[in-house]
Amino acid sequence: MLVDSPPEARAEKTAAPPDRRVIRAAGLLGSVAVLACVTVASLVIGAKDLSLAQVWHGLFEDSGSYGDVVVGERLSRTVLGLLAGAALGLSGAVLQALTRNPLADPGLLGINAGASAAVVTAITFFGVTSLRGYVWFAFLGAAAVGALVWFLGGSRGATPVRLALAGTAISAALYGYLQAVMITDEAALGTMRFWTVGSLSSADNGTITQVLPFFVVGTVLALALARPLNAMEMGDDTARSLGANLNRTRALSMLAATVLCGAATAACGPIVFVGLMVPHVVRSFTGPDLRWILPYATVLSPVLLLGADVLGRIVARPAELQVGIVTAVLGGPVFIFLVRRRRTAQL
């Protein structure tokens, strides 16, 4: 005689495993919550720490001392960190998909070098000294290099290898130009020394207003490319069979990465490793699907950038370490670990 199992046991046996999409969505919501906490920390922590009540008072009720600190300094700095972090993460994820190289970052295609070379040119030959003045030079330099890489990489016949080689060659040439100009021009060296480190401390509403349209356009374009980039990661032949337009996808990917990275570099200077680390780490738990990688990178990259900025304020009080220094110090060991893990996996 068979004994029927209790209802609880039957329900446990027949219960379907949680849908992976539900888990990913829950993880994304959790990432948004972490980002909210880091954003609050960026408003609270500084040379002079404030309480949550003081931050609230400064944001909504007070135009005095708290308002000067919170609204006049930390709010614009935090907003720029959110925008630039999302832009760097998205551009890194798009470039890693475009080049089929999980260790690629925006610097691989020379975008950072183009922005830096344009700023040096603006300072040395046009006498530009303010951040608002050379934001446009930096963006135009990044855009020009992006177009040049696309042309040298073969335009309609571009391949991931050709694009990477063209970007590496142009970066080497531009950094040589940078060193030559900075050595011979002390004024350029003094100004560039601060900008090339990468910083959020010079953020203001004018800078944010100038670069915000580029952030919005680049973000929308990058997120819209998730499906065709997914197809391209399976190989050109498979992508064509799935109806993907390879030339258009590559051109739009280059455009999205250039707009995003160019805007972030123009506003903050060249900040390294954010566009490399975050998409690579995200891929380890989302899988290769860019429909999830891109939203996660959009949320978690500002977590890294703002977290590094807050850490820089803490470790060197009453002064501060620029966020570009902190991300470089954190990113170096992480990059070595990623390379070694990738090499081990290939053996």
Side-chain angles (χ1 to χ4, degrees):
M1 181 177 177
L2 296 176
V3 179
D4 194 15
S5 58
E8 294 83 359
R10 291 200 305 272
E12 187 173 306
K13 289 180 181 178
T14 58
D19 186 2
R20 193 172 184 183
R21 288 176 297 180
V22 175
I23 296 174
R24 287 169 172 171
L28 189 59
L29 289 175
S31 300
V32 172
V34 173
L35 178 59
C37 294
V38 175
T39 301
V40 172
S42 180
L43 294 173
V44 170
I45 298 172
K48 177 183 178 181
D49 289 345
L50 302 175
S51 67
L52 291 176
Q54 290 170 330
V55 169
W56 180 271
H57 195 60
L59 284 173
F60 301 107
E61 300 176 11
D62 181 29
S63 59
S65 59
Y66 294 150
D68 292 340
V69 172
V70 177
V71 178
E73 299 176 12
R74 296 184 190 174
L75 182 60
S76 56
R77 181 173 184 162
T78 301
V79 171
L80 184 59
L82 291 170
L83 294 173
L88 292 172
L90 267 178
S91 61
V94 168
L95 289 177
Q96 287 174 12
L98 177 64
T99 60
R100 298 174 194 160
N101 181 358
L103 297 180
D105 75 333
L108 180 68
L109 298 186
I111 297 172
N112 287 344
S116 299
V119 170
V120 163
T121 301
I123 294 170
T124 303
F125 299 106
F126 297 99
V128 179
T129 56
S130 67
L131 177 63
R132 292 189 189 183
Y134 53 67
V135 158
W136 290 105
F137 282 91
F139 183 78
L140 290 174
V145 168
L148 184 59
V149 168
W150 175 250
F151 174 76
L152 294 178
S155 299
R156 292 184 176 276
T159 64
V161 174
R162 287 180 180 179
L163 291 173
L165 289 175
T168 301
I170 292 173
S171 293
L174 289 177
Y175 280 124
Y177 166 76
L178 277 171
Q179 295 301 319
V181 173
M182 291 171 66
I183 288 173
T184 58
D185 189 334
E186 292 185 2
L189 176 61
T191 305
M192 281 294 296
R193 185 166 48 193
F194 177 79
W195 186 80
T196 54
V197 167
S199 173
L200 299 176
S201 60
S202 298
D204 58 34
N205 293 334
T207 302
I208 294 172
T209 302
Q210 285 179 317
V211 297
L212 181 60
F214 299 104
F215 284 130
V216 173
V217 171
T219 299
V220 172
L221 181 57
L223 294 175
L225 289 169
R227 287 183 181 275
L229 284 173
N230 271 344
M232 286 180 57
E233 286 202 327
M234 294 185 286
D236 289 358
D237 293 336
T238 303
R240 288 191 188 96
S241 67
L242 293 174
N245 187 320
L246 300 185
N247 292 327
R248 183 177 62 190
T249 301
R250 286 182 179 134
L252 291 177
S253 298
M254 280 290 299
L255 177 61
T258 300
V259 169
L260 288 169
C261 183
T265 305
C268 309
I271 297 175
V272 297
F273 288 119
V274 175
L276 164 67
M277 287 191 294
V278 175
H280 191 84
V281 172
V282 164
R283 191 179 290 105
S284 67
F285 59 84
T286 64
D289 191 347
L290 284 158
R291 293 175 298 176
W292 289 101
I293 292 174
L294 295 180
Y296 266 98
T298 304
V299 174
L300 291 179
S301 296
V303 171
L304 174 60
L305 189 61
L306 282 179
D309 188 45
V310 171
L311 181 61
R313 303 180 208 175
I314 295 174
V315 297
R317 282 179 173 173
E320 66 178 62
L321 287 178
Q322 304 303 323
V323 66
I325 298 174
V326 180
T327 57
V329 171
L330 295 176
V334 172
F335 180 73
I336 294 171
F337 169 75
L338 294 176
V339 171
R340 288 183 60 86
R341 190 178 71 168
R342 178 171 170 80
R343 182 180 177 184
T344 302
Q346 292 174 340
L347 295 177

